[in-house]
Amino acid sequence: MPINGGNKVEFSTILIIIGIICIVASFFLKDTSKKVEQDLEDLSISIYQETNSLKKRLKIIEEELLLEPNFAVKQSTIDKKSFEIHNKNAQLTHSSQTNAANNTQQINEILVNQVIQLNKQGYPVDEISKMSTLSKEQILTILKNGGAR
């Protein structure tokens, strides 16, 4: 009988020793989750920096498109949304000018092309005038000249 009881004590002692060894070993092993967290943080920062860089480049390109008067966009059709987006940008640049100044001002080539395309799509002059910063007279002049200056 003492032999069976001794086996139980030896077995439990072995299990306790194995548990203590595992606990001590866990302190010395590297924690891989910290490396994964660091990699994720680095990736996040990299994506943020790249996004900011792309935004700056896009802003520069948009400014060049709005400032360059001889730039022509070759499009077969123009949808109403892109025309309205351009008009919002054009309104910001032309908001401080009066209607008289608008009549004598040189009209951006992109706007001229959009007016012509909208007319080809069947929009009436009144509708084009509402969607653009141009007066009806300017629109009629553009259509009469066919976009020529």
Side-chain angles (χ1 to χ4, degrees):
M1 219 185 229
I3 296 174
N4 285 342
N7 285 342
K8 287 183 183 179
V9 172
E10 288 176 16
F11 183 70
S12 63
T13 306
I14 292 173
L15 285 178
I16 290 174
I17 292 172
I18 291 174
I20 292 171
I21 291 172
C22 288
I23 291 172
V24 170
S26 71
F27 287 117
F28 294 108
L29 294 177
K30 289 186 177 181
D31 189 11
T32 57
S33 66
K34 288 188 179 185
K35 177 157 178 29
V36 170
E37 286 176 10
Q38 183 64 37
D39 289 346
L40 183 61
E41 186 176 330
D42 291 345
L43 180 65
S44 175
I45 290 171
S46 174
I47 290 173
Y48 177 76
Q49 289 172 342
E50 187 67 26
T51 302
N52 281 343
S53 173
L54 289 173
K55 284 181 182 180
K56 288 177 185 176
R57 290 179 188 172
L58 184 60
K59 184 177 181 181
I60 291 169
I61 290 172
E62 287 175 345
E63 289 173 357
E64 287 176 0
L65 286 176
L66 288 177
L67 296 178
E68 194 171 329
N70 295 329
F71 182 78
V73 177
K74 295 181 181 178
Q75 294 180 338
S76 59
T77 60
I78 296 177
D79 63 344
K80 192 173 178 179
K81 280 188 175 183
S82 68
F83 188 80
E84 289 173 354
I85 289 171
H86 174 73
N87 284 336
K88 288 180 184 177
N89 291 335
Q91 285 173 352
L92 291 174
T93 59
H94 298 299
S95 63
S96 64
Q97 299 173 346
T98 62
N99 286 337
N102 281 338
N103 289 335
T104 60
Q105 175 188 4
Q106 219 177 17
I107 299 170
N108 190 336
E109 187 70 26
I110 295 173
L111 195 54
V112 170
N113 289 336
Q114 288 176 339
V115 167
I116 292 170
Q117 290 298 324
L118 286 172
N119 185 45
K120 285 181 181 178
Q121 291 176 10
Y123 286 97
V125 173
D126 293 337
E127 184 71 22
I128 296 171
S129 177
K130 288 178 186 176
M131 291 189 294
S132 71
T133 58
L134 302 175
S135 67
K136 292 178 185 177
E137 293 81 21
Q138 288 174 314
I139 294 171
L140 290 173
T141 303
I142 290 169
L143 296 175
K144 178 182 173 187
N145 296 337
R149 296 186 182 240

